[in-house]
Amino acid sequence: MTGMMQHNFPKLKNDRFLRAARGEEVDKIPVWIMRQAGRYLPEFREFRTKHDFFSICQTPEFACEVTLQPIKRFDLDASIIFSDILVIPQAMGLTVEMKSGVGPVLPQPIANPGELSRLKIPNVEKDLGYVGHAITLTRHRLEGKVPLIGFTGAPWTLMGYMIQGGGSSTMAQARSWLYKYPEDSLKLLQLITDVIVDYLVMQVQAGAQALQVFESHADYLNDELFDKYSLPFLNQISKRVKSKLNELQIPDVPMIAFPKGATYDSLELLAKDQCYDVIGIDWTVNPVEARERFGSNISIQGNMDPCAMYSTEKEVYARAREIANTFGKSRYIANLGHGILPDTPISSVEAFIRAIHSI
Ligand code: CP3
């Protein structure tokens, strides 16, 4: 990927999201929705009848089209490139299938440390370059309407899928590794971290204007495990990405960590380390307590319960306003506390966005 100076992207017209991420003043609270391009949209479901999940991810034209679907429909303040966190395990040589009604399945997970040798170290440009191409194309097609977010799964979350072979209510096998094979676990996490750093730098070079790191499996970690197996790698990712961009003389971009289900103490440690500009919180975290514990140097993103979208339109509106009023207009990005669910009413999405922008 050649330097971003050659891209000549259209000028950004709505920078609310980026301003809030950096702690600058905003005219209105910015709002976007995790998984905003997804199955609750009839146009996405229609598209999916024609194309397999990973071929959408791998075909820049397709990924771009799907990324733009929610932007055309709603008054959102950010877009997020259509992809999946599991493209990294794929690039490291593991087979990943998206099974309808089940979710992601890795038929040959890493069964024991001896099998770590099955993993290959990808060439990010070659093996994940398609994500960069999708980002560049989407930046042009967005015509500067809103910024484009790039993303990755965090090391522990990806390790979970690689060992467990899919989703799990306990992550027992992956979590057992942390006690049975602490050295090999750290080795695997470091291997994944190195890939993530190159992958995120590539995304920014391609045109990503912010980056989110999804630590979706933080809920399986107590403070001891978070401190050893998640936090150091999250911090390392942010520091190394920012310093590499600096070396390449590319302006850095706001970085968001979303450690879903992390304890208050774990969240507080992450906030105090100041490696991220924004922390995403799930719906179980109390907004007042989060503000108190995180301090005033960090922005917060979240956190309406995705299931609250099933209440009446009036209630969605009122609840969204209440949450936003509690966080306040400064250093706040409105979102749900996790990805939007596949059968969420469109009218709830509209009410949610309207409510946030009414403040
Ligand atoms: O709009 C967006 O947010 C961008 C697209 C996006 C997808 N996955 C598309 C997707 C993003 C940001 C992700 C991230 C992702 N993928 C995470 C982190 C966020 C989270 O939810 O914690 C995780 C854990 C995954 C892994 C994954 N991918 C799961 C568990 C599933 C199955 C559950 C589900 O919602 O179906 C997927 C599939 C997936 N990723 C879909 C979409 C639109 C649905 C699959 C389909 O279309 O058949």
Side-chain angles (χ1 to χ4, degrees):
M1 196 88 33
T2 44
M4 68 186 278
M5 300 312 150
Q6 276 105 30
H7 291 315
N8 244 318
F9 290 129
K11 189 175 162 3
L12 185 61
K13 296 167 199 148
N14 173 354
D15 65 351
R16 248 176 230 150
F17 163 79
L18 296 178
R19 293 182 64 85
R22 294 193 208 101
E24 297 163 8
E25 232 175 85
V26 290
D27 60 336
K28 288 180 185 178
I29 295 172
V31 54
W32 69 283
I33 295 174
M34 287 187 277
R35 298 281 186 99
Q36 63 193 22
R39 283 167 302 174
Y40 73 103
L41 284 178
E43 56 271 37
F44 178 80
R45 291 197 300 271
E46 158 68 19
F47 203 83
R48 278 283 281 123
T49 62
K50 291 179 277 179
H51 306 285
D52 158 77
F53 180 78
F54 284 111
S55 51
I56 302 178
C57 296
Q58 288 157 10
T59 313
E61 272 293 334
F62 294 170
C64 173
E65 175 163 348
V66 172
T67 301
L68 295 179
Q69 284 176 348
I71 303 304
K72 289 177 182 155
R73 206 189 243 275
F74 306 116
D75 188 18
L76 290 159
D77 297 302
S79 58
I80 178 161
I81 192 65
F82 189 85
S83 184
D84 200 85
I85 63 167
L86 296 171
V87 299
I88 289 185
Q90 261 178 350
M92 294 176 83
L94 297 180
T95 301
V96 184
E97 293 158 7
M98 202 52 82
K99 293 228 161 112
S100 84
V102 179
V105 174
L106 292 76
Q108 287 116 21
I110 305 289
N112 56 62
E115 289 192 18
L116 287 174
S117 58
R118 281 173 46 210
L119 294 175
K120 67 166 193 156
I121 297 182
N123 174 328
V124 164
E125 296 274 319
K126 195 170 133 286
D127 301 319
L128 291 163
Y130 63 87
V131 177
H133 297 134
I135 287 173
T136 304
L137 179 65
T138 306
R139 266 298 291 279
H140 285 291
R141 297 268 172 86
L142 273 166
E143 297 173 344
K145 206 171 163 195
V146 293
L148 179 60
I149 305 168
F151 72 90
T152 181
W156 156 245
T157 295
L158 294 178
M159 172 181 166
Y161 281 109
M162 290 161 84
I163 289 169
Q164 205 72 40
S168 157
S169 61
T170 58
M171 282 288 149
Q173 292 180 61
R175 220 162 75 230
S176 302
W177 264 57
L178 306 179
Y179 297 99
K180 281 200 295 192
Y181 317 120
E183 292 313 314
D184 293 298
S185 296
L186 290 170
K187 199 176 118 192
L188 174 56
L189 291 165
Q190 188 58 55
L191 207 65
I192 301 169
T193 298
D194 293 344
V195 179
I196 289 172
V197 169
D198 288 348
Y199 181 49
L200 292 180
V201 169
M202 185 269 285
Q203 292 188 41
V204 176
Q205 287 180 295
Q209 290 155 292
L211 296 169
Q212 176 153 325
V213 182
F214 286 95
E215 187 69 291
S216 304
H217 292 168
D219 41 4
Y220 301 104
L221 303 179
N222 60 18
D223 292 326
E224 178 197 343
L225 296 180
F226 184 83
D227 203 34
K228 183 166 179 191
Y229 296 108
S230 174
L231 184 65
F233 297 98
L234 289 173
N235 285 344
Q236 193 192 134
I237 288 166
S238 166
K239 283 185 194 150
R240 284 174 61 195
V241 167
K242 291 193 179 202
S243 104
K244 274 207 177 182
L245 290 172
N246 190 41
E247 261 169 51
L248 294 165
Q249 298 189 316
I250 297 171
D252 69 17
V253 300
M255 293 190 61
I256 307 165
F258 176 50
K260 193 202 154 264
T263 70
Y264 280 105
D265 285 349
S266 292
L267 288 168
E268 187 174 337
L269 283 182
L270 177 66
K272 294 283 146 75
D273 284 340
Q274 299 266 318
C275 290
Y276 285 83
D277 306 273
V278 184
I279 293 186
I281 55 176
D282 68 66
W283 68 94
T284 68
V285 178
N286 179 286
V288 175
E289 188 158 358
R291 280 284 196 220
E292 269 171 24
R293 286 189 172 226
F294 296 1
S296 54
N297 281 327
I298 197 155
S299 300
I300 298 182
Q301 175 175 282
N303 75 336
M304 191 159 96
D305 186 345
C307 290
M309 300 291 265
Y310 297 102
S311 59
T312 68
E313 219 180 295
K314 239 178 142 172
E315 285 165 337
V316 169
Y317 187 87
R319 182 167 279 110
R321 269 186 65 94
E322 194 188 317
I323 293 170
N325 274 322
T326 308
F327 280 110
K329 212 163 159 178
S330 122
R331 281 205 173 273
Y332 176 56
I333 297 163
N335 205 316
L336 300 181
H338 199 195
I340 188 167
L341 293 163
D343 53 355
T344 301
I346 298 281
S347 55
S348 294
V349 176
E350 288 164 347
F352 179 67
I353 297 170
R354 236 185 308 119
I356 300 300
H357 283 162
S358 74
I359 292 169

